[in-house]
């Protein structure tokens, strides 16, 4: 969902993970354990969790190769990878091998012993694995638990020449520089968000010119720009025009039916650009995302677009434009590839792939447009040739009839002249007869 100048590229990469909150109840021993707990294969770390009870959450990153982690307290397995959270510090089953990021939580009671053990790949024959303990926190049980969140990175590519160069340029400025208006400034999108209920968070960037967006479900306006979050899917007031990046949240209930996203309904500023950079479904009790004000545009060195305009009809009042696309390493954002951070490589390659697909789609659409124009021009040429042929045939028939008329007139004239010449001879023959 976006309204960008023609020739813009829009690629989005999504990653999901947990983020641990800070808590004043967290003992200093957790920080030391986190600093020491990273490595390969099997390891056990004992931690003094202190005299304060609460809910302990451990954030593990097992990377690609699977690992097994269990947390023990006084002879009881209170948490393990692949096992659900057991309220009240109840025992859980053996750990299962997991990959990537994983959260383990359990209710801690110091009366059961203050020493807890983090057991990594215990009694498991593994090799070549790597894992890291990313964090540990002790929270009040009344506080919301860490929730899985979605992080979306959006790359918008628009190209124009500025003289003098600007330190930052958003799509609206690029559109004005190119003399091209964004496409779809006033649009409506319908989305079936699936059967899972939760709170939906949308990041919306209106850039410099103000825009309005409203989200409707089942005939109810459940969210709108400039309106506060209404818990429980309650109705909100009409949208207000906003600029910059905004976060819009609402409670989604699949029983309410599909969602309708309405941008600048009834018309907006023709030169206004906007983009939805993220849309995620989170737990209803997850912390509301912070709103980051301001625009996200920036200017990067690269190739400016080269435009080619072609006549679309013989009158010359319509053109077809084909523009270049920057498919260099810089244009595909591959120059930012960092082999020292493997977790970002796939995201970077994914962005490059989407940019390449968008370029191929653009060229495919332009090729289809040229083919349609060529076919239409061919049909027009056939019609003109047929018309010219009909005119030529009509002229030949007319000239043939005229020639035949002239030939008849010529024969009649010759016959008349013959008759005229024969008349005196006939009269003389009469006189000859009478004289004899």
């Amino acid at each position: 969902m976006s309204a960008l100048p023609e020739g813009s590229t829009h690629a989005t990469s999504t990653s999901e993970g947990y983020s641990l909150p800070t808590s004043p109840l967290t003992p200093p021993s957790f920080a030391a354990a986190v600093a020491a707990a990273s490595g390969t294969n099997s390891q056990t770390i004992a931690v003094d969790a202190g005299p304060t009870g609460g809910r302990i959450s451990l954030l593990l990153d097992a990377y690609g190769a699977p690992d097994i982690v269990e947390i023990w307290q006084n002879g009881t397995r209170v948490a393990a990878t692949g096992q659900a959270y057991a309220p009240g510090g109840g025992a859980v089953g053996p750990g299962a091998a997991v990959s990537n990021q994983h959260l383990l939580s359990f209710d801690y009671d110091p009366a059961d012993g203050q020493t807890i053990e983090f057991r990594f790949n215990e009694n498991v024959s593994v090799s070549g694995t790597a894992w890291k303990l990313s964090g540990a926190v002790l929270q009040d049980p009344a506080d919301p638990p860490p929730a899985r969140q979605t992080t979306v990175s959006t790359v918008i590519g628009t190209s124009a020449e500025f003289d003098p160069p600007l330190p930052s340029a958003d799509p609206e400025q690029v559109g004005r520089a190119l003399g091209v208006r964004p496409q779809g400034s006033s649009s409506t999108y319908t989305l079936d968000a699936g059967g899972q209920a939760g709170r939906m968070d949308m990041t919306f960037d209106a850039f410099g010119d103000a825009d309005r967006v409203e989200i409707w479900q089942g005939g109810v306006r459940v969210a709108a720009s400039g309106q506060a979050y209404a818990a429980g899917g309650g109705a909100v007031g009409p949208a207000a025009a906003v600029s910059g990046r905004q976060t819009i949240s609402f409670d989604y209930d699949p029983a309410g039916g599909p969602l309708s996203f309405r941008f600048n309904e009834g018309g907006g500023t023709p030169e206004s650009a906007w983009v939805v950079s993220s849309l995620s479904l989170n737990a209803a009790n997850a912390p509301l995302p912070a709103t980051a004000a301001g625009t996200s545009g920036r200017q990067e060195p690269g190739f400016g677009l080269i435009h080619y305009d072609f006549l679309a009809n013989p009158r010359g009042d319509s053109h077809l434009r084909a523009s270049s696309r920057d498919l260099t390493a810089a244009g595909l954002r591959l120059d930012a590839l960092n082999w020292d951070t493997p977790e970002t490589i796939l995201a970077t390659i994914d962005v490059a792939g989407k940019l390449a697909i968008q370029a191929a789609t653009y060229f495919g659409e332009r090729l289809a447009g040229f083919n349609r124009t060529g076919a239409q021009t061919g049909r027009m040429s056939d019609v003109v040739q047929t018309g010219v042929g009909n005119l030529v045939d009509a002229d030949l028939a007319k000239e043939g009839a005229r020639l035949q008329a002239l030939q008849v007139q010529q024969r009649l004239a010759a016959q008349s002249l013959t008759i005229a010449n024969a008349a005196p001879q006939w009269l003389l023959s009469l006189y000859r007869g009478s004289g004899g």
Side-chain angles (χ1 to χ4, degrees):
M1 291 183 282
S2 62
L4 299 171
E6 182 181 1
S8 299
T9 59
H10 175 205
T12 301
S13 61
T14 304
S15 61
E16 295 185 354
Y18 292 93
S19 178
L20 293 181
T22 59
S23 172
L25 303 180
T26 304
S29 59
F30 280 16
V34 169
S38 65
T40 61
N41 304 331
S42 300
Q43 186 175 348
T44 297
I45 299 175
V47 181
D48 185 350
T52 304
R55 184 179 60 248
I56 292 179
S57 296
L58 183 75
L59 184 57
L60 167 75
D61 196 340
Y63 302 114
D67 293 281
I68 299 175
V69 180
E70 297 180 347
I71 303 177
W72 288 74
Q73 181 186 18
N74 195 23
T76 301
R77 186 193 300 109
V78 291
T81 52
Q83 299 293 339
Y85 162 67
V92 300
V98 297
S99 302
N100 302 318
Q101 201 178 54
H102 201 81
L103 183 73
L104 294 85
S105 297
F106 68 98
D107 289 343
Y108 166 69
D109 184 355
D112 296 331
Q114 296 185 18
T115 300
I116 58 177
E117 293 181 344
F118 302 144
R119 304 180 183 181
F120 299 88
N121 297 314
E122 185 182 38
N123 300 323
V124 178
S125 177
V126 294
S127 62
T129 66
W131 48 264
K132 180 179 71 172
L133 189 59
S134 301
V137 63
L138 173 62
Q139 293 180 276
D140 188 313
D143 293 337
R148 192 171 183 85
Q149 297 180 343
T150 302
T151 301
V152 179
S153 300
T154 302
V155 177
I156 300 172
T158 51
S159 301
E161 295 183 2
F162 294 91
D163 188 15
L166 299 178
S168 175
D170 60 35
E172 292 173 346
Q173 293 171 299
V174 172
R176 293 187 182 99
L178 296 174
V180 177
R181 290 181 174 179
Q183 298 174 320
S185 179
S186 178
S187 301
T188 299
Y189 298 86
T190 301
L191 173 67
D192 184 353
Q196 179 65 44
R199 193 192 68 241
M200 193 162 288
D201 301 315
M202 183 180 79
T203 304
F204 172 69
D205 202 336
F207 304 108
D209 293 344
D211 293 282
R212 294 172 290 106
V213 56
E214 295 183 348
I215 304 172
W216 290 71
Q217 185 182 25
V220 178
R221 186 193 299 112
V222 294
S225 55
Q227 299 292 341
Y229 163 68
V236 301
V242 296
S243 299
R245 189 184 294 115
Q246 310 286 327
T247 299
I248 301 173
S249 300
F250 63 96
D251 286 346
Y252 167 69
D253 182 0
L259 299 172
S260 176
F261 296 83
R262 305 176 185 181
F263 299 89
N264 296 315
E265 189 175 31
T269 305
E271 296 181 347
S272 179
W274 53 264
V275 64
V276 173
S277 54
S278 72
L279 185 64
S280 60
L281 182 65
N282 299 299
N285 60 351
L288 284 169
T291 299
T295 63
S296 60
R298 66 178 180 176
Q299 189 176 21
E300 297 180 352
F303 289 90
L305 295 182
I306 302 175
H307 302 293
Y308 300 90
D309 292 321
F310 303 88
L311 291 177
N313 60 47
R315 297 186 301 273
D317 57 359
S318 179
H319 294 79
L320 287 176
R321 167 170 288 190
S323 303
S324 64
R325 288 294 182 269
D326 186 1
L327 296 179
T328 63
L332 295 177
R333 309 298 189 265
L334 289 174
D335 54 346
L337 197 64
N338 187 355
W339 297 101
D340 295 330
T341 56
E343 62 273 12
T344 65
I345 292 177
L346 290 179
T348 303
I349 294 176
D350 182 60
V351 170
K354 290 180 179 179
L355 290 173
I357 291 173
Q358 288 183 353
T361 302
Y362 171 80
F363 289 130
E365 292 174 348
R366 288 299 178 272
L367 177 61
F370 285 124
N371 288 338
R372 287 193 299 269
T373 302
Q376 183 179 3
T377 303
R379 289 193 295 269
M380 292 177 61
S381 176
D382 293 341
V383 171
V384 171
Q385 289 181 356
T386 301
V388 170
N390 291 336
L391 291 175
V392 170
D393 292 342
D395 289 342
L396 288 177
K398 179 180 178 181
E399 293 299 327
R402 182 179 179 185
L403 178 60
Q404 288 181 354
L406 290 175
Q407 289 175 344
V408 170
Q409 290 178 359
Q410 183 181 10
R411 288 195 295 270
L412 290 176
Q415 291 179 358
S416 298
L417 183 60
T418 301
I419 294 172
N421 290 334
Q425 296 298 328
W426 180 73
L427 291 174
L428 290 175
S429 64
L430 291 176
Y431 284 113
R432 292 191 192 101
S434 60

